Amino acid sequence: MGKEKGGFLTPKAIANRIKSKGLQKLRWYCQMCQKQCRDENGFKCHCMSEAHQRQLLLFAENPNKYLDSFSQDFYDDFVTLLKRRFGTKRVHCNIIYQEYVAERDHTHMNATQWETLTEFVKWLGREGHCTVDETPKGWFVTYIDKDPEVIARQKAAQSQERKELDDQERMAKFIEKQVERAKATTGDQEESKFTELQREDESEKVTFDFGKPCSSKSSSSKTSSSKTSSSSFEKKSISIADKSGIFNNSEKEKSSKGKSKETTKRKSALDEILEEENALKKKKLKEIKKENWLTEGIVVKIITKKLGDKYYKQKCVIKEVKNLFIAVVEVLNSGDVIKLDQMHLETVLPGPGRPLKVVNGEHRGCNAEMIGLNQGKFTASVKLTSGPQKGITVKLPYEEICKVPSGS
């Protein structure tokens, strides 16, 4: 029997499979034909083949279709790897890319709309899919998980932590109050204080009278000795307690002064209630103030130079808000419509008497009118024209208010 040509187990076929194992050079890969060539000569021959020419004709008929398809596949695979492998951790973008291209049948970047990995990472940040930041070591990305179930779990965990902290704070305050009450009750009772007994003359005798009955013979000697000891004690202001344990006048005056100082240091119940209310107000303000402040129909200023000098420091109106942090704006001078991130925009302050809108804080969403500015404290006095507190005048930071178009 003759030897069969082109068999699967022929030495040539086995050698070709061994050579084609692993990752080949990306520049010798044809995405349209999904064919990997081992060298430049093989890639040149493939480009001249009839099959490749047919694929190019198909691509020429509708290039956007194929380009969008490859870009979408690359984005889906890249983000899926980032989500499953690293979660919401901050990681270098090149580490993810190296793991992604290690897969033999991946979609190559030269077939997508992005020419470099840096452009792709910037696009992820602009679209709000990831949080990106540039460092001397390169670009780092952090995946933003927008799954409703994950967000619900995170909110539930945060609320549970707040409840536990509130319970702990309540218990700590209760214990503090109990301790203060105990100190107040024990502070009313005077503690016995012992002083050191000193004598100027060592030959001088000291006697103690505890009210015991004494004989008539020794009464005269005891009375004389008691007189001398009392005179010496009066000079030195030394108090000696009798059997009932009552202090002399000097000690009582000292204890009364100490008690008056303690009472002045103690806080009244009204002061404690006011402090608790102020703490609760500060806590509520922190919870009310949010990171995102973008609102439709306000005038903002572009502060990024990445779009060129044409748009730098230009004022525009927000037409639409996407994903809380992405705004579609219309430039007032040119009428161009562009999409920008919140970090590339800042609020604009109107003149006195002009309308504005509160974009953050306790009065978020309310319309108001500018009254004046306090440049030293970076605050503005505004009069609310809508909302439950309509008509009152409040002071708000610059970043919480923004100008609205005069026609609105």
Side-chain angles (χ1 to χ4, degrees):
M1 294 178 64
K3 184 181 290 185
E4 295 181 0
K5 293 182 178 180
F8 182 74
L9 297 177
T10 57
K12 186 175 181 179
I14 295 172
N16 289 337
R17 286 198 299 275
I18 292 172
K19 290 177 183 178
S20 64
K21 276 187 177 181
L23 187 66
Q24 304 292 323
K25 288 193 175 181
L26 302 181
R27 61 177 177 170
W28 295 332
Y29 181 82
C30 178
Q31 186 66 53
M32 283 295 297
C33 304
Q34 296 182 358
K35 180 175 176 60
Q36 175 70 59
C37 301
R38 289 195 296 271
D39 52 18
E40 187 176 0
N41 186 32
F43 187 70
K44 182 179 179 182
C45 294
H46 169 71
C47 292
M48 296 172 62
S49 64
E50 183 180 355
H52 181 73
Q53 297 297 327
R54 286 198 301 268
Q55 292 294 330
L56 289 183
L57 291 174
L58 292 174
F59 181 81
E61 290 178 0
N62 192 356
N64 293 330
K65 174 185 174 182
Y66 290 98
L67 194 64
D68 294 342
S69 176
F70 294 146
S71 301
Q72 187 64 34
D73 292 341
F74 180 84
Y75 162 74
D76 292 339
D77 296 340
F78 189 92
V79 173
T80 302
L81 176 62
L82 173 61
K83 178 181 178 181
R84 293 182 178 177
R85 176 72 173 80
F86 301 99
T88 55
K89 296 180 181 178
R90 182 173 175 269
V91 62
H92 199 285
C93 62
N94 197 37
I95 296 176
I96 311 166
Y97 183 71
Q98 293 300 327
E99 292 193 13
Y100 173 72
V101 299
E103 179 65 29
R104 180 180 174 82
D105 298 325
H106 69 276
T107 303
H108 291 61
M109 181 173 283
N110 56 9
T112 63
Q113 63 183 6
W114 307 287
E115 295 181 0
T116 60
L117 181 61
T118 302
E119 291 184 5
F120 175 66
V121 171
K122 290 181 180 179
W123 180 84
L124 288 176
R126 287 195 300 270
E127 294 296 324
H129 301 296
C130 297
T131 303
V132 300
D133 57 317
E134 186 180 8
T135 64
K137 295 183 180 180
W139 287 87
F140 285 80
V141 297
T142 306
Y143 177 70
I144 301 174
D145 198 342
K146 299 178 182 178
D147 188 2
E149 295 182 357
V150 175
I151 295 173
R153 285 199 298 269
Q154 291 176 354
K155 288 183 178 179
Q158 291 176 358
S159 63
Q160 184 65 26
E161 288 179 1
R162 289 197 199 99
K163 289 180 182 178
E164 292 177 357
L165 290 174
D166 293 341
D167 294 340
Q168 292 176 1
E169 290 176 358
R170 282 197 219 95
M171 183 59 69
K173 289 181 180 179
F174 178 75
I175 293 172
E176 288 179 0
K177 288 181 180 178
Q178 294 292 333
V179 172
E180 289 177 359
R181 288 178 184 175
K183 287 181 179 179
T185 54
T186 56
D188 296 338
Q189 299 176 1
E190 297 179 354
E191 296 180 357
S192 59
K193 296 182 180 179
F194 302 94
T195 58
E196 185 178 358
L197 183 62
Q198 297 179 354
R199 292 184 298 173
E200 292 181 357
D201 188 5
E202 293 183 356
S203 62
E204 187 177 356
K205 294 182 180 180
V206 179
T207 59
F208 297 92
D209 187 7
F210 295 102
K212 292 183 178 180
C214 56
S215 60
S216 59
K217 294 180 180 180
S218 59
S219 60
S220 59
S221 62
K222 285 184 179 180
T223 52
S224 62
S225 62
S226 62
K227 288 179 181 178
T228 56
S229 62
S230 62
S231 61
S232 62
F233 285 171
E234 286 176 359
K235 290 179 182 179
K236 301 171 187 178
S237 300
I238 300 174
S239 61
I240 300 175
D242 58 359
K243 189 175 182 180
S244 58
I246 301 173
F247 291 100
N248 62 358
N249 293 331
S250 62
E251 289 296 329
K252 287 181 180 180
E253 288 176 359
K254 291 180 182 179
S255 62
S256 62
K257 289 180 181 179
K259 284 171 65 178
S260 62
K261 290 181 181 179
E262 289 178 0
T263 53
T264 54
K265 290 181 181 178
R266 292 175 190 167
K267 295 180 180 179
S268 63
L270 182 60
D271 294 337
E272 292 179 357
I273 293 170
L274 291 175
E275 287 181 358
E276 291 179 358
E277 289 182 354
N278 292 331
L280 288 174
K281 285 182 181 178
K282 291 180 180 179
K283 190 175 181 182
K284 286 181 180 179
L285 287 175
K286 288 182 180 179
E287 293 177 354
I288 290 170
K289 195 167 184 179
K290 299 179 181 179
E291 294 182 2
N292 61 304
W293 55 266
L294 295 178
T295 307
E296 295 181 3
I298 60 175
V299 180
V300 293
K301 186 186 291 185
I302 301 173
I303 58 174
T304 179
K305 293 184 179 179
K306 295 182 179 180
L307 301 176
D309 296 335
K310 178 181 178 182
Y311 298 110
Y312 181 60
K313 294 292 184 180
Q314 292 293 323
K315 294 181 181 179
C316 50
V317 180
I318 297 179
K319 295 296 182 182
E320 186 182 356
V321 179
K322 296 182 178 180
N323 296 330
L324 300 179
F325 296 95
I326 305 297
V328 178
V329 301
E330 180 182 355
V331 183
L332 294 178
N333 292 339
S334 60
D336 298 339
V337 178
I338 54 179
K339 187 187 292 184
L340 292 170
D341 190 81
Q342 177 179 281
M343 63 186 298
H344 298 149
L345 301 170
E346 70 175 2
T347 57
V348 177
L349 298 178
R354 295 299 181 91
L356 57 89
K357 194 164 190 177
V358 184
V359 296
N360 210 341
E362 182 181 0
H363 307 286
R364 182 184 181 119
C366 297
N367 297 323
E369 182 182 345
M370 174 65 76
I371 296 178
L373 297 176
N374 188 352
Q375 298 180 356
K377 296 182 179 180
F378 300 98
T379 58
S381 297
V382 300
K383 182 179 180 181
L384 300 178
T385 57
S386 67
Q389 298 181 348
K390 178 180 177 181
I392 68 170
T393 302
V394 293
K395 292 182 179 180
L396 299 176
Y398 288 169
E399 61 271 12
E400 292 186 5
I401 58 175
C402 190
K403 179 181 177 181
V404 296
S406 57
S408 61

